[in-house]
Amino acid sequence: MRALLLAALAAFGLVPGAARTLPRALPQPPRLLSQTGLYAASGVVDARHLAYAPQYPLWTDGAAKSRWLHLPAGTAIDGRDEEGWVLPVGTKAWKEFRFGGRKVETRLIWKTGPATWVFASYAWNEAQTDATLVPEDGQPEAAEIAPGLRHSIPSREDCRGCHGREQVEILGFNALQLSPDRDPGALHAEALQPGMITLDDLVARHLLRGARPDLLSRPPRIAAETPAARTALGYLQANCAACHRADRPIPGLQLDLRPRAALRTTLDQPGSYRIPGQADSRILSPGHPERSTLLHRMASRHALSQMPPLGSVLVDQAAVDHLRRWIADAPLLPSH
Amino acid sequence: MSLTRPFVLALLGVALAQAGTPGKSVIQRGAYLVSISGCHDCHTPLKMGPKGPEPDMTRMLSGHPEGLKMPPAPKLAEGPWGWVGSLSMTAFTGPWGVTYTANLTPDKETGLGSWTEAQFLQMVRTGRHLGQGRRILPPMPIQNLQLVSEPDLKAIFAYLQSIPAIHNRVPAPIEPAATPIPMH
C-alpha cells in the first residue's frame, strides 16, 4: 500500500524530492541524409526499403516525388483501423521532392516510440550527392520552381500540423491510397513502377495484420455517384482531409473533407470565409462554382485565403478545373 | 487499511484536481500577463467615454463586435502611411487585407471555449490561425507571444478560460484589393 501511495503521489509531483522520471530526449535526426542508414550509396535508396505511390498524390507545386517506407525487421503494420493504420516503432518514411529534374528536399518521419515521432527535412546539395538537415524553422525559398516563385522547405511544426501531433500518420500510405482499385481519373496520378509495394504485397508479405479479411476482394474505393465525383473526393482526401476531419476537429470548424463526410459538411454550408464581392458564399454551392469558397481558396495563393495554407505557392490548375466542372454539374451531386 | 484507503483516495483527489484544474495563482498570473502584454489593447473594444476612448469591459476580450459592421476599407495611399484602424481598435486594414481581432473569451461557438490547452500552444508555436491555417495576421504581435515560456502560456490560457464567455462571432478577414500597396 505504501508503495502504491508513493507511486501515486510521485506521479502527480506531490512528493518533494521524489525521483521522478524525466521525459527522455527524443533521438535527433542525423545531420546528413546519408547518415540515416536508408541509402545504399550516394543518393541511392537501399533496395530493401518499400517504394510506393499513392493513388491520390498530394499537390506540391508540381514536384515529382519518390516515397519509401522502412519497417523494422519482424514488425508489421496494425491494419485494424482502415483509415488510421498504426505503424510499428522504428518505422521511417521519407519522401523526395524534385523540381525540374533536380532533387530539392527529402522529408523524413521516424517513429521513435509508441507515441513519439521525429520529423526532419533535408536539403539536397548542388552536386545532388547528399542532403543536409535543415533548421527546425525550415528553409525559406529553397529552390526556384517558376519565374519569381520559390519553393520553401516547411518547418517541423508545419510537418506536425499536417501529419498530426499525437496520432501521427503517413498520409499517402494507407489502405485507400494503396488500393489496387485505382481511380483512373485521379489527378496527377503516378504509374506504379516495378517493385513498388501495393496493398496486395503488404498482405502477401504479412506486413499488414488485423485488416478485414475481405480487404483484397473488396479493396477500398471512394463511393461516389460519378467518376468525376470519385476523383474530386479523392483529391480532397489527399489534399485537405489531413487537417479537415471530424475526429481531429479544428476549433470552430465543422468541416470534414474525408470522402464519406465531404459533401455533408460542405454543400450549402455558409462557413466563415466570404469570397470578396460575393454576397452568397457557400463552402460548396452546387451549380455555382463562383460562390464556392472551397474552390476559391484552392485557386488562391494569397496568404490570407489560400488552401492548403502551406507547402504550396502554385495553384493546382488541373484540380481547380476539375472541381469547377464537378461543382458546375450540380445535378451530378447526390442529394443531401 | 480501512483508514489508509480514504486517505489515499483523498490525496489522489487533490492530486487529480491539481493536475486537471489550474489553481487560483495560475489564473492570477495569467490575468497579470494578459494585462501587461497588451491583449486588452485590441481584443477588448474601446468605447468613447468622458475622458476619451476607454476599454468596454462589458465586452472584455471578446474581439471585434459582430454588430459593428465596418464599411469597405478606405483606399490607402501609397507611401509610408501603411494602415488604418477602427475607433474600437478591433479592425485594421493594411496591405495584408482587413483583420478583425479575435474573441478570446471561453464562448464555445465563437471564442476559445472549445479549444484545448494543446491547441492554444500549437497556435502560438506555429503562428497560424487555429494552429493549422493561414499565418496570424497583423497587427497581432504573435512573435512576442512566441517568446513567452510554456508555463506562462498555460497561465494565459487558464485565465482566458476563466473569464466570462461572450458570444460574439468575429468576421473573417478580408483579402486586400487586387493591386497590393507596396510595403516600404
Side-chain angles (χ1 to χ4, degrees), chain A residues 1 5 8-9 12 14 157-158 161 165 243 249-253 272-273 276 296 302-305 309-310, chain B residues 1 4 8 11-12 15-16 18 96 114-115 119 122 125-126 128 130 132-134 137 172-176:
Chain A
M1 178 55 81
L5 173 62
L9 296 179
F12 294 104
L14 295 180
E157 276 298 331
D158 285 341
R165 304 196 80 80
C243 290
I250 299 174
L253 296 185
S272 59
Y273 182 85
H296 177 83
H302 186 276
L304 201 150
S305 51
L310 56 94
Chain B
M1 188 69 172
T4 309
V8 171
L11 274 174
L12 276 176
L16 286 169
Q18 289 189 352
W96 64 86
S114 61
W115 286 52
Q119 287 171 324
Q122 183 183 340
R125 288 187 189 119
T126 59
R128 291 186 177 278
L130 303 175
Q132 288 170 283
R134 59 166 168 76
L137 297 165
I174 300 170
E175 290 172 42

Side-chain angles (χ1 to χ4, degrees), chain A residues 181-233:
Chain A
D181 187 359
R182 290 214 153 197
D183 181 352
L187 296 163
H188 314 300
E190 303 152 30
L192 284 177
Q193 301 299 322
M196 280 186 170
I197 195 98
T198 63
L199 198 55
D200 310 50
D201 299 327
L202 286 176
V203 172
R205 293 167 62 175
H206 306 291
L207 296 175
L208 181 68
R209 295 175 188 158
R212 57 182 165 88
D214 64 345
L215 184 65
L216 296 184
S217 59
R218 196 168 57 85
R221 174 194 177 103
I222 292 174
E225 295 203 345
T226 66
R230 180 185 178 190
T231 298
L233 294 173

Side-chain angles (χ1 to χ4, degrees), chain A residues 277-311:
Chain A
Q278 181 57 253
D280 192 21
S281 296
R282 292 285 185 269
I283 298 175
L284 205 157
S285 181
H288 297 282
E290 76 286 358
R291 294 182 196 162
S292 300
T293 56
L294 184 148
L295 187 65
H296 177 83
R297 301 190 76 170
M298 274 177 62
S300 169
R301 282 300 177 268
H302 186 276
L304 201 150
S305 51
Q306 86 161 56
M307 279 290 158
L310 56 94

